Amino acid sequence: MDLRGKDFLKLLDYSEEEIRYLLDLAKDFKKKKQNGEEHAYLKGKNIVLLFEKDSTRTRCSFEVAAYDLGMGVTYLGPTGSQMGKKESIADTARVLSKIYDGIEYRGFGQDIVEELAKYSKVPVWNGLTNEFHPTQMLADIMTIEEKFGYLKGLKLVFCGDARNNVANSLMVVCAKMGINFVAAAPKELFPESDLVDICTEIASKNGSTITFEEDITKAVIDADVLYTDVWVSMGEAEDKWKERINLLEKYRIDSRVMSLAKDNAILLHCLPSFHDTNTTIGKDIYEKFGLKEMEVSDDVFESSHSKVFEEAENRMHTIKAVIYATMRD
């Protein structure tokens, strides 16, 4: 499998075989990391991280992955570059690809990362856009496979805002890998029909299904994986909270919902999660709306079903696989 020089912008651009290659590569890197085996295969290379939206897991995963591979890393935060302000996206891409061997972008519209890739002479990786979150998906699928030993035929249910970047990307990767995808969401928050049609066609070729259900009780029965995300995505206005709480409170994954899934079902969450009031936003929501937990209850988040921290670790291993596969000589 040769992915040298290929951008990593969305999983629709990757075949099942290419995704499988990245997963197997990530597993190999994870073993090397755990065994203390050096794998600095990309010494002398440098990458730049362009972050228009802050992050804990994405930044740390890219930085540690790059360091493990022997590379240098430059981080440019929301105020760290002139892209889109004094310098166009195209010019930024042409400048950075003269200096660096790879470019990561985390920010707003998918069109931004696509334009970076168009004008860059080096691989460009999507660390998150409004529409897609492909590096998260690799970590999710890796975590699922570690738990069950296989992917095809499993049932994954996403509960919440089914239009957001995580839900969109889950629908894509499930279709690609033969996982039955169900979105438990209000009709107003179902994904765009064009993407649904594309994923439905892909899923049908891989023996899986794409389903939408407004009743969470019906949706989660016999699920292997329950997945949720925050109700208001990064960058959205604060006044969305009241509207989303009204729409999504009945889609919280609590102990009742978890009990309807299979006994060995797992909980995944891309994090951060509002499962208690130990954050400033959590406290603010409690003071304004009286909610101590939002998309997932604290007892489920802290239960044996929860694999969210294993999932977070796997961000590093899968991102390392993407970097290496697209940059190796």
Side-chain angles (χ1 to χ4, degrees), residues 280-321:
T280 54
I281 291 178
K283 289 175 184 174
D284 187 50
I285 294 299
Y286 175 65
E287 289 170 3
K288 289 180 179 177
F289 304 105
L291 291 181
K292 289 187 176 181
E293 36 194 29
M294 282 178 270
E295 72 278 3
V296 59
S297 63
D298 191 59
D299 60 337
V300 172
F301 185 87
E302 297 292 353
S303 74
S304 60
H305 294 288
S306 178
K307 303 300 176 188
V308 299
F309 297 110
E310 292 91 334
E311 177 188 11
E313 177 196 343
N314 284 338
R315 291 293 306 283
M316 175 185 63
H317 305 302
T318 49
I319 282 171
K320 189 183 295 181

Side-chain angles (χ1 to χ4, degrees), residues 35-103:
N35 294 333
E37 296 178 40
E38 184 178 336
H39 45 282
Y41 303 142
L42 298 178
K43 282 183 179 177
K45 295 183 183 292
N46 295 278
I47 64 170
V48 61
L49 310 180
L50 285 174
F51 276 54
E52 292 191 305
K53 290 183 180 179
D54 290 323
S55 169
T56 299
R57 279 149 299 283
T58 302
R59 177 180 177 178
C60 293
S61 295
F62 267 98
E63 288 190 347
V64 173
Y67 294 145
D68 283 353
L69 290 168
M71 295 193 291
V73 182
T74 300
Y75 171 78
L76 297 176
T79 60
S81 80
Q82 296 296 339
M83 186 179 72
K85 299 185 282 286
K86 291 183 178 179
E87 189 164 48
S88 69
I89 295 166
D91 288 356
T92 300
R94 288 182 283 193
V95 168
L96 293 178
S97 61
K98 289 287 187 182
I99 300 170
Y100 293 96
D101 303 290
I103 301 170

Side-chain angles (χ1 to χ4, degrees), residues 104-119:
E104 182 270 355
Y105 172 79
R106 177 184 171 91
F108 297 96
Q110 182 71 16
D111 58 319
I112 298 174
V113 76
E114 299 276 354
E115 188 170 0
L116 279 170
K118 178 180 178 181
Y119 289 97

Side-chain angles (χ1 to χ4, degrees), residues 140-205:
D140 297 341
I141 297 304
M142 181 176 177
T143 308
I144 294 169
E145 193 166 62
E146 285 177 336
K147 164 64 179 177
F148 296 101
Y150 64 97
L151 295 173
K152 287 189 181 296
L154 292 174
K155 177 181 177 180
L156 182 149
V157 183
F158 178 87
C159 305
D161 181 358
R163 301 173 313 172
N164 74 12
N165 49 16
V166 169
N168 284 343
S169 299
L170 280 170
M171 184 166 59
V172 171
V173 79
C174 285
K176 292 272 185 179
M177 305 309 288
I179 299 170
N180 297 307
F181 174 82
V182 182
K187 205 165 215 176
E188 303 97 304
L189 299 179
F190 283 1
E192 295 292 332
S193 59
D194 289 351
L195 183 61
V196 172
D197 291 343
I198 292 169
C199 290
T200 300
E201 183 177 352
I202 295 169
S204 66
K205 293 176 182 177

